[in-house]
Amino acid sequence: MELLFAMALGILTTCGVYLLLRARTFSVILGLTLLSHAVNLFLFGMGRLTTGAPAIIGLGTESADPLPQALVLTAIVIGFAMTAFVVVLALKAAVELRNDHVDGENPDEDRP
């Protein structure tokens, strides 16, 4: 199970970094989203979640740790807000610059 989890984390991180390094805005947005999903999975994995453990202390011998769940929930909200901001920023740049290249220049055009 740990190998599958590590491979999923590695694939998400690798794909996210690859898409971030692309020159198109939609690829950058997808890369940021994949990286945020990888971070959420990483936080869950570091929390050593146990199955069947009660969330309230005193009802059993072991209780669930609520901190990783709270961190992931916070990361999901922040990631959604960041994605919405980047989408609006990319749309504004695409309308003003008339292309979706990250730095505003079209590499296919000839420069004077």
Side-chain angles (χ1 to χ4, degrees):
M1 185 66 183
E2 289 88 7
L3 180 64
L4 178 66
F5 187 77
M7 286 177 53
L9 252 161
I11 289 171
L12 277 175
T13 304
T14 304
C15 292
V17 169
Y18 174 75
L19 288 172
L20 272 177
L21 295 176
R22 302 278 306 203
R24 301 291 178 196
T25 55
F26 186 69
S27 299
V28 170
I29 293 168
L30 283 180
L32 283 172
T33 304
L34 284 178
L35 274 179
S36 70
H37 289 313
V39 167
N40 291 342
L41 283 177
F42 179 73
L43 287 174
F44 259 141
M46 291 296 105
R48 289 178 271 148
L49 298 176
T50 58
T51 57
I56 300 173
I57 297 175
L59 293 180
T61 58
E62 261 184 52
S63 61
D65 186 15
L67 184 63
Q69 298 169 15
L71 286 175
V72 169
L73 184 62
T74 305
I76 288 171
V77 171
I78 291 172
F80 180 72
M82 179 188 65
T83 303
F85 175 72
V86 171
V87 166
V88 169
L89 192 65
L91 286 174
K92 178 73 171 171
V95 167
E96 284 189 5
L97 300 174
R98 304 219 190 273
N99 64 7
D100 67 340
H101 204 265
V102 174
D103 61 359
E105 297 177 4
N106 194 354
D108 299 332
E109 293 179 357
D110 293 332
R111 295 183 184 172

